[in-house]
């Protein structure tokens, strides 16, 4: 019913920037919270950022605060993650996630609170 497709990943040097996109198709009207997670080799999938349906509420992991920005263009059914000042430790597969009902900002970070996931896009940051 809902499909998420990420794009925009690639390889950059430390200090560089990338913008990831997540396009939503299907029952787009049912989507509320959108989030970004990442998974590095040998590590668990971890929270990066999330945004409410109207875009007024956002949340970020401490490791990316001040460097990453999440925003959405609902008319285009797309959510973005602008990543600046990239570090080698940001290297991971980045996944877009969505939830079909509303969600408290206090639990944006839990993978269990999202019921739709994209296929992931690789981000590699070299030193």
């Amino acid at each position: 019913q809902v499909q998420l497709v990420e794009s925009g990943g690639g390889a950059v040097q430390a200090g560089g920037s990338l913008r990831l996109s997540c396009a939503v198709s299907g029952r787009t009207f049912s989507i509320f919270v959108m989030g970004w997670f990442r998974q590095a080799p040998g590590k668990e999938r971890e929270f990066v950022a999330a945004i409410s349906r109207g875009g007024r509420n956002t949340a970020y992991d401490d490791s990316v605060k001040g460097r990453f920005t999440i925003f959405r263009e609902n008319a285009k059914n797309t959510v973005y993650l602008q990543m600046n000042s990239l570090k080698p430790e940001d290297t991971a597969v980045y996944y877009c996630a969505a939830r079909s009902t509303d969600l408290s900002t206090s639990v944006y970070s839990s993978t269990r609170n999202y019921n739709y996931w994209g296929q992931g896009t690789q981000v590699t940051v070299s030193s």
Side-chain angles (χ1 to χ4, degrees):
Q1 294 294 308
V2 174
Q3 297 81 42
L4 309 179
V5 179
E6 303 99 329
S7 62
V12 298
Q13 292 185 329
S17 298
L18 286 172
R19 179 177 290 183
L20 305 183
S21 300
C22 176
V24 183
S25 61
R27 296 173 61 88
T28 59
F29 55 85
S30 69
I31 297 300
F32 284 78
V33 178
M34 299 287 297
W36 287 96
F37 293 77
R38 65 188 181 187
Q39 188 166 20
K43 295 185 177 181
E44 298 291 321
R45 189 169 298 186
E46 64 181 13
F47 173 72
V48 177
I51 188 167
S52 62
R53 189 176 191 178
R56 289 183 287 272
N57 296 318
T58 59
Y60 298 91
D61 184 77
D62 287 342
S63 66
V64 305
K65 286 182 179 178
R67 299 189 297 121
F68 292 9
T69 302
I70 186 171
F71 61 100
R72 65 196 299 173
E73 296 182 2
N74 290 341
K76 297 182 179 180
N77 300 127
T78 302
V79 64
Y80 304 89
L81 184 68
Q82 178 66 46
M83 305 186 295
N84 298 325
S85 302
L86 284 162
K87 304 175 181 179
E89 50 263 46
D90 295 319
T91 296
V93 176
Y94 283 70
Y95 296 91
C96 179
R99 179 177 169 87
S100 58
T101 57
D102 211 352
L103 182 68
S104 171
T105 57
S106 66
V107 292
Y108 274 8
S109 63
S110 176
T111 59
R112 295 183 178 181
N113 287 330
Y114 299 85
N115 49 344
Y116 301 104
W117 292 86
Q119 83 289 350
T121 185
Q122 177 71 46
V123 172
T124 302
V125 184
S126 60
S127 61

